[in-house]
Amino acid sequence: MLLGFAVSPYLLLAAAGQKAKPTFAQDVQPVLKAHCASCHSGSEASAGLDLTTVSGIKRVVKANDSKHSPLILRLSGIGGTQMPMGFAPLPKETIDRIAEWIDAGAVIDGGNGKHWAYIPPVKPSVPKLTSPRIRNPIDAFVLANLRKQGLTFSPEASKETLLRRVYLDLIGLPPSPKEIDAFLADKRPDAYERVVDALMKNPHYGERQAEPWLDLSRYADSDGYEKDLNRTAWEYRDWLIDAFNKNLPYNQFTIDQLAGDMLPNPTQEDLIATGFNRNTMMNREGGVDQEEAHFNVILDRVNTTSTVWLGSTLQCARCHNHKYDPFTQVDYYRMAAFFANAAIYPEGSKAVGEEKWLEASIQTPSPQQEAERRRLKTEIAEIERRMAIWTPELQSAYARWFEGAKRGAAWLVLNPKELKSENGATLKSDEFGVISSTGTLPATDIYTVTGPAGLKRITGFSIEAMADPSLPAKGPGRADNGNFVISKVSLVAGTTKTVIASAKADFDQRDFDASKVNGPDVNFGWAVSEGQGKSHEIVFDLKEPVEVNPDTPVRVEIDQLWPGGKHLLGKFRVSLTSTDHPASLLVPGKIRQLLDVATPGDAADKALKDYYLKVAPALDEDRDRLSSLNRDLATLEAAIPTALVMRDRPCNGPLTAYVHSRGQFLTDTELVTAGFPAALSAPEPDAEPVKSVPEPHDTKDPAPVPHINANGSITSGPVRTRLDLAKWLVSRSNPLTARVEVNRLWEQCFGRGIVETSEDFGTQGARPTNQPLLDWLACEFMDKGWDMKGIVRLIVTSSTYRQSSDATAALIERDPQNALLARGPRFRLDAETIRDNALSAAGLLDPKIGGPSVFPYQPDGVWDNPFSSERWPESPGGDRYRRGLYTFIKRSAPYPSLLSFDGTSREECTVRRIRTDTPLQALALLNDKAIFDAAEALGKRMAAEGGKTVEQQVAYGFRLCTGRRPSKVETTNLAALLGKLKKRFAANPAGAKKLGGTPSQAAWTMVGNVLLNLDETVTKG
C-alpha cells in the first residue's frame, strides 16, 4: 500500500503498466507557477516574459523540438544563466518531463491550459464491447481500459466472499451463517441483486454510509483546543444516518447541510442538517480574542466546504494566490463572505478575558417530549391564572398579612432572663433583646436563650442575625469572613418540646439554605456567605401551636456545630409570634421598606400584592403544585437534546469579507463580496433541489448591489447567500461536485478512488485512472437526480466489483495498487468496522440506531487533563457494545483503539484515511478489552451454538469471523490449538481464571482471540 508521502501521478500510472503522456495542466503549468511566475508574470514580468499566459509560453516553446526550445535550454543552463535564477535548479526528471511534452506537440489542454477537473464533464459514450462479464456500463469502461493493457477481468469471487464483501460495504456488518446459507441456497439468477436491494433497505445502511461523512464533516463531541469542553452534537449524526437511509438526493443533501436554515419554513430536520458547519472546533480558552477565533471558524468552513464538495485545496489561497490551481486569494475571501454573517451570541465577561462568542442552537424534543411540555405549560398557565384572581377571602387575608408583616405588630422579642454558651463564649443582652457574643471564640458552640413567653399561643419563632461594625467583615457571624453556620435549632415551652415544621430565610448561602437546619448532616446548616455585612433572618413554623401562660419560660437552643470551626453568631435576637403561618411574615428587605409607605393603588401597593401572592397561605396547595410542575418542566427541558445550527444575522446588502494579507487576522485589506471561485463560476445557480427552493432574494424588484468580479471590477448583481452557494455547488455547470462525490463512493467500495487523491482534484492531485468512467458516473449521477443509492447499487452489482481479489504475482507486479481493476478489492477494514465486525461475530453488538454518543471501555488515563477533573464514564449494559460510529469523540484525547487503526481526531476535515500498518494495531487486536470481551463471548458462542463436535464448533467460529467455511487443514489446526490450550490452562488454573474461569472457558477465549486476529477477519477481500 502507499504511504502518506507524495507520489508523482504519472509514476503511479507507470507502475500500473501504463505509459502516461505528459499534459500541460498536470506536468508543465504547476512547475511554471511554482518556480517561474514569481518573476515572469504580470505587467512588470521580467524580460517582458509572462509565463502565466498562453502567448508567453509559446514564445519559449518550439512544438516538437525540445532541444531548441528556449524554455528547456534555460532550465538546463544552456546559453545563459540557469533558471530559475537565484534558486536551486529543477530536477532533471522534471525538465525531461517538460521536454517530453514539447516533443509531443506542446498541446495546451483545451486550448486554454484548463485542468481536466475544471472542465464540466460531458457524458461519454459507453464502449461497445461484447463480453458476458459486462453487466452495466461500469464494466464496459473498465474492460475497455484493461484490454488496452492486454488484461481482462479476474474470475468472479466465491458467493461467500462476495456476500461478506457487499454486507461490509453496504451495512458495515458481516452476514450471519444463516444469511450465508440462505444466499448459497438461492439459485435464482438475480439472487445477488436481491441481497443488494435488501441491504439498501436495511436501517444499518445509513450507519455505514454516515461513517466516512463524519470524517468529512469533522464531527466530534467536544470543542477542541486546550479546554476541549464537551458539546452536544449527536442529532446531526442521526440526521446523516436518516438522510442516507431515505436516500436524500445529493443536491438536497448538500443544500440542507449548507443552508437548511435559509429554506422557506425550514423544518427541525433542515436546521439540524446545518450542524455540518457547526462541527468546527471552538476555542473557549481564557483570554482568547473571540473575533480572531471566529475568523478561524469562518475560514475552517471555507476550507471544509471546498474540500468536501470541490475536492480542492482552496485553503492554500488563504495567504496568497494558489501556486498550482487557478484560485486567487480574492476567490478565497469571497467564499469566506458566505459564512461571515453568522449570528453571534456573546457570553461571559470581556473585562476578564472570559467572553465567548457562541452561535445558535435549538432544542430537538421528541413528539412525546413536546406533548409533555405542552401539557405541563398548559397546567402551569392555568394555575398561575387562578392564583392571580383576588377573591374576597384573599383580599381579607392580605389585609391581615399587611398589618402583621410590620415587625412590631406580629413579633414579640424574647426578653432573655438566662443566656448560656456551652463552650465559654460571653453572651450579653441589651434592653432591646439583642444578644452579643464576645470573648472566647470556640470551634463549635451551643447558645441557649431563656425568657418568658409573653404570649398565650406560640406558632413560630425567628432568629435575626444582625450585622455590626465591631464584627469581622461587619458580621453577622464571628468567623473571619463574617459568616456563621446554624446546624440545629429547638424550642421548649415549659416542659413541652415543640416540633419544627419548616424554616425559611430571607437569604441563603448556596448549599447552606434554611432547609438544611436540623438536617441529618452537621456539615450543613443555614449560612449567609456572599451576604455578609447585612442583617438576615430565619423563621421557623411550628408543626402544632403551643398554648402557654405568658409567664411560661421558653428556651431556644441554637447549635453551631459546623466542623470547619469558629463559624458562630456574633449578634442576634430571638422573637416569638402567635400569627398563623409565621413564614409568610418573612419579607425581603425591599418589601419591608414598602410596608410603611404603600397606599392603595400606587406602585408600592402593587409590589406588595404581587409579593403576597407568592407567599399567601391560602395558595399553598396551588403553589406546591406549581412548584412541582415547574420542577417537572425543568427536568424535562434538561432532558431534551439540543443541536448546533447555523443562523445568520439580518442582512440589507451584499455579504462581504476582507482579504487578509498573508492570511493574518490583523492584516485586512480590500473588501470583497460573496462569490464563487472565478475559474469555476457559472453566471447563476442552475440546478434546483428536489424540494421547492425559491431564490433567497425573492423580491418583486430586487435592487442591484455592488458585485466585485474576479478582475476587480464592480458590477451590479443579486445578493448571494449560503443558499446560493449550496445551489451553485450542485449546479450542472459546476465541474467538480458530481465527480468528487462519485469518486468517494467508488473509493468506499474499492479502497481507492478513480482519482486516488480524493481530497485533491487539482493539478497536484493524481490523474484519474479511467477518466471516461469517472465522467460517465458523474453525469449519470446528475441525470438520475443525484441518486446516491443508485450509484452505489450500480457499483456493487457490476462485474468489476464482483471479481475475485486473488491475484498472481505477475498481476501484482504489473498493478500493485489495483489501479486498473483487473481484480476485486482487498484491503483492511476501517477502524469502526473492525470493532463492529468483532462484536457482531461474538454476538455482543447492540444494534440500536441513533442517540447520544456512548463510552465503551477505555484505558485509564486517556482523559487526564490538567484543566479538568473529567473522567471517562464507562457506559453500562449494551451501550458499551454499540457500533464504533457512536463512540464519544474527544478531540484532545480520541478513542485509542480507533486511532490505532487510522481513525482521526476530527479536528479538521479528513477525506481519505491513509491506511498504515503498525505494531500498535497488532497489540490492540490482541489485548484491547473490547476485542478481548468479544473473544470471550465468541468462545462461549462456539461452544454453545457450534454443534456437538469440537470440529463443528471451531468451524462455526471461523464462519462467524470470515464468512466462509474453513478448510479441513484449518479446522484440524484450530481443534488442535483448543486441545493444547485446555491442557495448558488445566496446569495453570490461576491463568485460566483471568481468561474466563475454567480451563475450558479460557481455552475457548484464546481460540476466539486467534480467530478475531486473523488477517481474513479484519480484511475485506
Side-chain angles (χ1 to χ4, degrees), residues 6-7 119 267 627 824 904:
V7 179
I119 303 170
T267 64
S627 177
T904 74

Side-chain angles (χ1 to χ4, degrees), residues 228-287:
D228 200 18
L229 299 177
N230 295 343
R231 61 170 56 164
T232 301
W234 57 266
E235 287 275 17
Y236 170 75
R237 180 177 58 208
D238 281 8
W239 179 88
L240 269 183
I241 294 169
D242 188 54
F244 282 112
N245 277 333
K246 291 191 300 187
N247 196 27
L248 193 66
Y250 190 68
N251 56 351
Q252 191 64 55
F253 182 76
T254 295
I255 288 171
D256 287 354
Q257 290 185 86
L258 292 180
D261 57 310
M262 294 184 165
L263 295 172
N265 304 313
T267 64
Q268 178 173 289
E269 287 70 28
D270 293 331
L271 296 176
I272 291 171
T274 65
F276 174 87
N277 267 317
R278 289 301 315 283
N279 284 334
T280 187
M281 294 202 298
M282 179 181 178
N283 194 339
R284 297 205 201 193
E285 296 174 26

Side-chain angles (χ1 to χ4, degrees), residues 144-163:
N145 204 30
L146 286 173
R147 287 181 175 177
K148 290 178 184 178
Q149 308 302 320
L151 298 172
T152 190
F153 284 135
S154 293
E156 186 163 301
S158 69
K159 292 189 75 173
E160 290 172 311
T161 297
L162 184 57
L163 188 70

Side-chain angles (χ1 to χ4, degrees), residues 725-790:
L725 171 63
K727 291 171 69 179
W728 169 74
L729 286 170
V730 290
S731 65
R732 187 82 191 205
S733 58
N734 189 311
L736 286 165
T737 300
R739 281 173 169 147
V740 168
E741 175 59 11
V742 297
N743 189 69
R744 279 199 298 260
L745 295 175
W746 187 274
E747 181 181 10
Q748 283 176 226
C749 295
F750 287 95
R752 57 173 286 156
I754 298 171
V755 175
E756 184 184 19
T757 53
S758 48
E759 73 282 1
D760 185 7
F761 274 52
T763 59
Q764 292 302 98
R767 287 189 67 84
T769 53
N770 195 328
Q771 188 177 340
L773 171 59
L774 178 65
D775 287 352
W776 186 90
L777 285 170
C779 293
E780 179 76 358
F781 190 32
M782 293 184 283
D783 291 344
K784 295 297 174 63
W786 300 86
D787 181 356
M788 289 190 279
K789 279 189 177 180

Side-chain angles (χ1 to χ4, degrees), residues 203-391:
H204 293 302
Y205 176 85
E207 292 178 312
R208 171 65 187 99
Q209 303 310 309
E211 276 181 12
W213 200 267
L214 294 174
D215 276 0
L216 294 173
S217 63
R218 67 268 193 252
Y219 171 87
D221 299 291
S222 69
D223 288 342
Y225 294 106
E226 177 191 68
K227 281 189 177 179
D228 200 18
L229 299 177
N230 295 343
R231 61 170 56 164
T232 301
W234 57 266
E235 287 275 17
Y236 170 75
R237 180 177 58 208
D238 281 8
W239 179 88
L240 269 183
I241 294 169
D242 188 54
F244 282 112
N245 277 333
K246 291 191 300 187
N247 196 27
L248 193 66
Y250 190 68
N251 56 351
Q252 191 64 55
F253 182 76
T254 295
I255 288 171
D256 287 354
Q257 290 185 86
L258 292 180
D261 57 310
M262 294 184 165
L263 295 172
N265 304 313
T267 64
Q268 178 173 289
E269 287 70 28
D270 293 331
L271 296 176
I272 291 171
T274 65
F276 174 87
N277 267 317
R278 289 301 315 283
N279 284 334
T280 187
M281 294 202 298
M282 179 181 178
N283 194 339
R284 297 205 201 193
E285 296 174 26
V288 168
D289 184 321
Q290 288 300 298
E291 188 175 356
E292 181 177 8
H294 187 63
F295 171 72
N296 289 328
V297 166
I298 291 169
L299 300 195
D300 173 75
R301 289 169 181 166
V302 176
N303 301 343
T304 301
T305 301
S306 59
T307 299
V308 171
W309 277 276
L310 300 177
S312 297
T313 55
L314 191 63
Q315 63 265 36
C316 295
R318 169 179 174 169
C319 305
H320 47 69
N321 292 343
H322 202 295
K323 287 189 176 297
Y324 302 105
D325 294 319
F327 305 128
T328 66
Q329 195 178 18
V330 168
D331 285 335
Y332 184 82
Y333 287 99
R334 291 185 69 197
M335 285 281 283
F338 285 116
F339 303 101
N341 194 46
I344 300 299
Y345 306 93
E347 276 191 11
S349 173
K350 190 174 183 178
V352 294
E354 284 297 331
E355 183 184 60
K356 306 292 181 264
W357 284 13
L358 306 182
E359 294 186 63
S361 64
I362 60 169
Q363 286 188 315
T364 57
S366 67
Q368 295 80 7
Q369 288 173 322
E370 185 58 45
E372 178 65 5
R373 180 159 64 178
R374 282 197 301 269
R375 185 191 70 79
L376 290 171
K377 286 186 174 181
T378 299
E379 188 173 352
I380 287 170
E382 172 57 26
I383 293 175
E384 288 177 339
R385 183 196 64 78
R386 187 167 65 239
M387 291 176 67
I389 299 173
W390 282 90
T391 63

